Amino acid sequence: MKEKAVDRRIVRTKKALRDALTALMKEITFDEITVSDLTTRADINRGTFYLHYRDKYDLLEQSEEEVIEGIRSIRSQKQRLTKEDLPTFDYMNEPMPFVTELFAYVKENADFMRVILGPKGNPAFHVKLKAVMRDNMSQGILTHLDEAQLIVPIGYLSAYAISAQLGVIQHWLDSGMKESPEELSLINSKLVFGNPTTIYRKS
């Protein structure tokens, strides 16, 4: 029980520091943030900070990695389309399970994601995020596609879908996340898999 209590304290401390980093990055640039700023905002002492992080760069890197690992873990969840599902799956009317889970995770971590993907964030995180999304896609739906039947090379389809998802995520975060993860997943499917002319309603 004592170990669990210690673990919970560590989780709370790390969350407080990540929340402090997020709040400060909304106000000033990362370069301007000091460890003193972080510990004051998180209401912990410097000694506690250095128990978990070498410096503010380590805090940022670990915070980013926690998010990346969370997205990577979605890959192991059961809600996946199988090869048998693909021919009958209605992309225009059904949200894709994996993408829905991705957007739900983004919503859970919205404050940090909004900051880290924004103008005061870390451009390197975009690269990390695209890489894990590419891995998830390559081990998910792309494994079930027959490249010979596609009208474009599979690498371009993957790059387009990932860039579309990232763009949709950023707009969703910036516009206040009015849509649910399910609604956003369906919007994403229509953009990626639909004929461009179908985005207009027929009169």
Side-chain angles (χ1 to χ4, degrees):
M1 289 296 292
K2 189 175 180 181
E3 249 181 56
K4 287 184 179 178
V6 171
D7 289 344
R8 283 197 295 269
R9 282 201 298 272
I10 291 172
V11 169
R12 282 198 300 269
T13 298
K14 289 190 168 187
K15 184 180 185 308
L17 284 166
R18 190 172 105 174
D19 289 348
L21 176 64
T22 302
L24 286 165
M25 287 179 71
K26 291 177 183 177
E27 301 167 10
I28 56 179
T29 66
F30 179 74
D31 288 341
E32 295 174 295
I33 296 171
T34 65
V35 171
S36 293
D37 292 331
L38 291 163
T39 54
T40 298
R41 185 65 64 98
D43 195 24
I44 64 170
N45 60 55
R46 289 173 66 90
T48 302
F49 176 92
Y50 288 115
L51 280 175
H52 305 293
Y53 305 106
R54 294 187 304 274
D55 48 36
K56 67 176 185 177
Y57 300 98
D58 191 31
L59 168 60
L60 178 63
E61 184 176 347
Q62 287 195 42
S63 297
E64 291 178 349
E65 192 55 34
E66 285 168 12
V67 171
I68 293 298
E69 281 302 313
I71 294 173
R72 190 174 284 122
S73 72
I74 295 171
R75 177 174 30 190
S76 64
Q77 296 180 9
K78 293 180 180 178
Q79 286 188 307
R80 289 227 166 260
L81 293 177
T82 66
K83 190 172 184 178
E84 290 70 32
D85 294 328
L86 291 177
T88 58
F89 192 81
D90 186 358
Y91 297 98
M92 295 299 100
N93 294 294
E94 295 181 58
M96 294 185 69
F98 162 71
V99 179
T100 301
E101 291 295 327
L102 171 64
F103 291 148
Y105 182 78
V106 168
K107 187 173 183 177
E108 289 173 14
N109 296 272
D111 285 344
F112 182 74
M113 294 289 283
R114 189 181 293 111
V115 167
I116 205 67
L117 291 171
K120 292 182 181 177
N122 181 13
F125 183 73
H126 289 249
V127 178
K128 293 180 186 177
L129 184 55
K130 281 188 174 182
V132 74
M133 290 168 70
R134 187 180 303 112
D135 287 345
N136 279 0
M137 184 170 286
S138 67
Q139 295 184 38
I141 189 170
L142 294 187
T143 61
H144 303 315
L145 297 180
D146 181 357
E147 189 166 7
Q149 299 298 315
L150 298 177
I151 60 173
V152 296
I154 200 165
Y156 285 100
L157 173 61
S158 174
Y160 177 78
I162 290 164
S163 293
Q165 285 179 12
L166 190 53
V168 166
I169 286 171
Q170 288 183 282
H171 180 73
W172 187 47
L173 290 168
D174 292 342
S175 60
M177 297 184 297
K178 299 177 184 68
E179 298 82 8
S180 69
E182 291 78 11
E183 290 170 329
L184 196 67
S185 179
L186 189 55
I187 289 170
N188 185 77
S189 290
K190 289 177 178 178
L191 289 170
V192 173
F193 297 106
N195 184 311
T197 61
T198 64
I199 64 173
Y200 295 102
R201 297 184 185 278
K202 297 197 184 285
S203 55

